[in-house]
Amino acid sequence: MSEIYLTLLLMITLFALLGSGVWVAFSLFGVGLFGMTLFTDAPVGDVLATTVWGASNSWALAALPLFIWMGEILFRSRLSEDMFSGLSPWMGKVPGKLLHVNIFGCAIFAAVSGSSAATAATIGKMSIPELSKRKYPESMMIGTLAGSATLGLLIPPSIILIVYGVATEQSIARLFIAGVLPGLLLVGLFVGFVIIWAMINRDILPDVIEEISLSEKLKRAKSLLPVVILISGVIGSIYTGIASPTDAAAVGVVLALLLSWFTGDLNKTTFFEGLMGATKTSCMIAFILAGAAFLTVAMGFTGIPKLLAEWIGGLELSPYALLAALTVFFVVLGCFLDGISVVVLTTSVIMPMVEQASIDPLWFGIYIVIVVEMSQITPPVGFNLFVLQALTGRNILTVAKAALPFFGLLVLALAIIIAVPEIVTYLPNNM
C-alpha cells in the first residue's frame, strides 16, 4: 500500500505543478527530481544528465522536425484552396454534398501535416466561408471539421506516433503503416454518418447543385495531383522499405518546398516563418520527451511501474476490462492535457501493464492515438474545439455539441479495432 500512496503523492504533485501553469516539461522534471530525491539513494544529477542526453540524442527524433516543417510549408501554401476546387465538383450529387469536402480535405491534409490543430485551421479557414455562403447547417459544418481534423493524429506521417515510437522503442515505420487502415476506417465512418444524416434531413441541406461536365471535373481534379504525389512518395517509400521515416521526412520537405515554389507561395517570409514555426514546435516536443524520459527513469528507480503492474495483474482484469479502464483514464486526462503530453506522461506506467496483459504494443499505439483523438474534441482542453471556436466565433459548448456525434464515431472505431485487431496489424505484418 505504501507504493500506492507514493504514486498518489507523485500524481498530486504533478497535477499541482501543471495546474499552477508550470510548463509540462518542467513539471515532469520536477516530479522526477522529487521522487528520486525523497525515495531513492541514486545520484540524481548524473541520472538527469545522462537521461536527458540519451533522450535527445535519438536518430528517430530527426523525423519529427522534418515532418513538422513539411506541414508548416504546406500550411502556408495554396493547398487547401486547391483541395476544395479539386474535391467539390465530385461531391455535388452525394448525400451531404459539400460537407464531404471537409472530411476528405482533412484526410488529405492530415497525410501531409501530421497535426490535428493545423488540419482544423487550414481546412476550416477555407471551407467555413464557402459552406456558410451556401447555407449549410452550422452544426454539421463544425462537427465534420472537428471530427475529421483528428485524422491528423492518425494518418501518417503522425507527430504523435513518432512521439509514441520514441517513448516506447517501437518501430516508427511500422506505426505509420499501422495507422493507414484505421484512418481509412474513420473516414468511412464519417462519410457514412454524413450520408445517413443527409438522407434523414434532406430539407435542411441546400438544393443548389452546380452542373459541371466530366471534362471540367477531371481538369479541376488535376489540382490534387501534386499533394497525391507527395503523400504517395512519403508513405510509399516507407512501406516499400526504400526509405526510413527520417529519410522520407527529408524527401517530404524537399517535395513540399518544390510544391510551394511551383504554386508561387514560397518566398523569403513564408520560408522563415515555416522554419521558425517548426523549430518552436519541435523544441517544445523534444523538451517534453526529455522530461518524460527522466520521469520514466526516476519511476524505475522508485519501482512504482513494476509494483503497479503487479497490482493491476493481481486484480485479474481481462484485456478488455483493462482497455475499458484505460480508455476512461485517457479521455479524462485528455480533458486537461494535449495529446503529446498524455502519451509521454503515461507510457512509463502504462506499458508494463499493457505488456503483462499480452496486448501488442504496436496495436496499443494506434489505440492510444484514437483515444487521444477523442480528447481533442472533448472540453475543456480539446484543441480542435478552440481552433473552431476561433474560426466560427461560437462559444465552446456550441462547438463541443456539434462535435459530439463524431466523438461517438471515434468510440465506435475504437470498438471495431478492439474486435478486429487485424485492421491495425495487417499492413505492418506484410511490410
Side-chain angles (χ1 to χ4, degrees), residues 88-107:
S88 57
W90 300 91
M91 302 298 158
K93 295 185 179 179
V94 180
K97 300 185 177 79
L98 295 184
L99 289 173
H100 294 291
V101 175
N102 277 350
I103 299 169
F104 289 111
C106 285

Side-chain angles (χ1 to χ4, degrees), residues 338-407:
D338 66 280
I340 290 170
S341 300
V342 169
V343 171
V344 296
L345 275 172
T346 56
T347 47
S348 61
V349 176
I350 297 297
M351 290 313 292
M353 304 179 198
V354 169
E355 289 163 3
Q356 187 163 339
S358 301
I359 296 171
D360 182 355
L362 180 82
W363 178 92
F364 188 75
I366 302 304
Y367 155 86
I368 198 173
V369 168
I370 293 177
V371 177
V372 168
E373 284 181 346
M374 292 158 60
S375 70
Q376 294 291 297
I377 52 176
T378 308
V381 190
F383 278 15
N384 287 8
L385 301 184
F386 285 134
V387 172
L388 292 172
Q389 181 188 22
L391 288 174
T392 61
R394 301 298 181 189
N395 66 61
I396 196 74
L397 292 178
T398 302
V399 177
K401 184 181 176 183
L404 190 59
F406 294 86
F407 180 90

Side-chain angles (χ1 to χ4, degrees), residues 194-343:
V194 170
I195 288 173
I196 293 169
W197 179 89
M199 293 173 73
I200 294 171
N201 299 277
R202 291 179 188 274
D203 298 337
I204 301 177
L205 289 170
D207 295 325
V208 179
I209 299 174
E210 187 183 359
E211 291 295 336
I212 300 174
S213 65
L214 180 60
S215 60
E216 180 63 21
K217 287 181 180 180
L218 292 172
K219 183 180 177 182
R220 293 195 191 182
K222 285 182 183 177
S223 60
L224 297 173
L225 194 58
V227 75
V228 169
I229 292 171
L230 177 61
I231 295 166
S232 303
V234 172
I235 299 176
S237 62
I238 295 172
Y239 186 77
T240 56
I242 296 171
S244 70
T246 305
D247 300 331
V251 171
V253 168
V254 173
L255 289 175
L257 285 168
L258 288 173
L259 174 60
S260 185
W261 173 76
F262 184 74
T263 57
D265 298 310
L266 185 64
N267 55 48
K268 186 177 179 180
T269 302
T270 57
F271 179 83
F272 282 107
E273 282 180 355
L275 188 59
M276 287 306 298
T279 302
K280 290 175 183 177
T281 305
S282 302
C283 289
M284 177 195 72
I285 295 172
F287 196 21
I288 291 173
L289 279 172
F294 176 64
L295 181 60
T296 300
V297 172
M299 293 303 97
F301 274 104
T302 62
I304 287 174
K306 182 173 178 291
L307 291 164
L308 278 178
E310 290 173 356
W311 179 63
I312 295 290
L315 297 176
E316 297 183 353
L317 293 174
S318 69
Y320 295 116
L322 177 61
L323 287 172
L326 288 177
T327 300
V328 175
F329 171 70
F330 283 130
V331 170
V332 171
L333 203 58
C335 289
F336 304 97
L337 296 170
D338 66 280
I340 290 170
S341 300
V342 169
V343 171

Side-chain angles (χ1 to χ4, degrees), residues 72-91:
E72 290 280 349
I73 294 163
L74 296 173
F75 179 71
R76 290 167 173 80
S77 72
R78 280 185 10 225
L79 177 66
S80 57
E81 291 88 341
D82 289 345
M83 282 196 300
F84 193 89
S85 62
L87 287 170
S88 57
W90 300 91
M91 302 298 158

